[in-house]
Amino acid sequence: MAQHLEGDWLELATAGGNTIRVLKAAHPRARRLRLTVSARGARVTYPDGTHPAQVSAFLRHHADWLEQKLDELNLIVKPLPPLRVGHATTLPLRGEVAALDWADGAYPKIEAHAAGITLVIPRPHTRALPVARGLLASHFETLIRRDVSRWLAFYVPQLGLAPTALKVRPMKSLWGSLDTRDRINLDLALALAPPTALRYVLVHELCHLKVRSHAPRFWAQVGQLMPEWREQRDWLRVNGATLKAELDRLIADVAD
């Protein structure tokens, strides 16, 4: 089992070709290393000052148990086929399985149709893959912004507050955030999720305009705007790792 550190996450590549992401967190009151698995994913907690090698060894020792538990929750990200120019594939899009195919054209563009999307790429296909990834990223952002603009017109009057800006970008672990200037950030992978999941994340961040914490009155506000929020939160917890992996294979080389 190979591993590499990335921010606050430890990624484990298993012998079976799966990728496991473990959130690592030092805790001042922790007395020992502790590994937990829930619908949110895997988390390893350890005392301050623990050497990274100790954390890695601890995870290797519990690798079989970890893989089993994550597999039970459908949280293991299986290797996905790489995006290849000219090779048709499928992708999740707005919660549905969509076809992705290719065509030649005078200029690069995306054509949306009932079955999915077609990437139109001019010949010769030099640098076709980066162009295709950029087209996909722009298309996903357009889908998100279209939905969000419609929902903001509905929710802002109810809240009496509005975000100052909206940024859509790939996010490593979060689905959304609200910064100190009241700007909302949304994960680009939400274009792949059902629109109701995207709407939940938007509502979540909008409610932070009123309550910055996750206090009970925050969740009460979320419930007022979207009574079915728990169902959407749970859907993202179960399917989120797969969506982020799908986005990564589709637009991996596109800069934020």
Side-chain angles (χ1 to χ4, degrees):
M1 177 177 291
Q3 62 273 335
H4 65 274
L5 293 172
E6 180 176 315
D8 292 324
W9 293 85
L10 181 66
E11 292 193 354
L12 307 175
T14 70
N18 292 321
T19 298
I20 298 174
R21 302 180 78 235
V22 183
L23 179 65
K24 53 189 184 72
H27 196 285
R29 292 192 296 275
R31 296 179 178 273
R32 58 184 176 84
L33 287 104
R34 184 166 179 256
L35 182 62
T36 56
V37 176
S38 70
R40 293 176 182 268
R43 178 187 180 100
V44 60
T45 307
Y46 50 88
D48 279 330
T50 303
H51 195 282
Q54 286 182 267
V55 179
S56 296
F58 176 77
L59 291 176
R60 284 196 300 270
H61 180 71
H62 294 88
D64 291 343
W65 177 87
L66 179 60
E67 192 164 18
Q68 177 186 340
K69 290 299 181 183
L70 288 173
D71 190 46
E72 290 172 1
L73 290 170
N74 193 31
L75 291 175
I76 289 179
V77 180
K78 293 179 171 57
L80 298 170
L83 186 66
R84 298 172 60 194
V85 177
H87 292 257
T89 186
T90 59
L91 74 157
L93 190 62
R94 295 175 61 79
E96 303 288 341
V97 177
L100 186 156
D101 57 14
W102 305 75
D104 296 330
Y107 57 91
K109 63 179 180 176
I110 279 186
E111 294 179 346
H113 45 81
I117 55 179
T118 298
L119 285 164
V120 179
I121 305 293
R123 288 186 178 274
H125 288 166
T126 54
R127 291 190 52 79
L129 191 56
V131 170
R133 292 190 191 280
L135 286 172
L136 287 169
S138 296
H139 183 63
F140 296 156
E141 181 174 352
T142 298
L143 292 176
I144 290 175
R145 288 185 178 275
R146 184 186 66 191
D147 285 340
V148 167
S149 64
R150 184 175 71 252
W151 293 329
L152 284 177
F154 178 74
Y155 289 123
V156 166
Q158 296 184 59
L159 279 171
L161 295 167
T164 58
L166 173 70
K167 184 174 183 180
V168 182
R169 60 186 177 87
M171 301 177 75
K172 186 61 66 177
S173 57
L174 300 176
W175 292 109
S177 65
L178 180 72
D179 68 20
T180 55
R181 297 183 181 180
D182 290 349
R183 295 174 298 194
I184 287 180
N185 296 281
L186 294 176
D187 184 16
L188 193 62
L190 287 166
L192 312 182
T196 48
L198 167 60
R199 187 159 65 94
Y200 158 65
V201 177
L202 175 66
V203 167
H204 185 114
E205 302 310 329
L206 284 173
C207 288
H208 276 312
L209 289 168
K210 281 204 165 183
V211 186
R212 293 285 173 169
S213 69
H214 289 102
R217 64 192 184 98
F218 166 79
W219 292 112
Q221 182 69 66
V222 174
Q224 287 180 21
L225 296 187
M226 190 176 188
E228 71 279 19
W229 66 268
R230 289 180 180 83
E231 178 183 344
Q232 303 310 318
R233 180 194 61 184
D234 292 345
W235 189 94
L236 286 170
R237 286 177 175 175
V238 172
N239 299 281
T242 299
L243 287 189
K244 287 180 180 290
E246 282 279 6
L247 182 73
D248 188 60
R249 77 147 176 144
L250 293 168
I251 66 154
D253 300 324
V254 176
D256 287 357

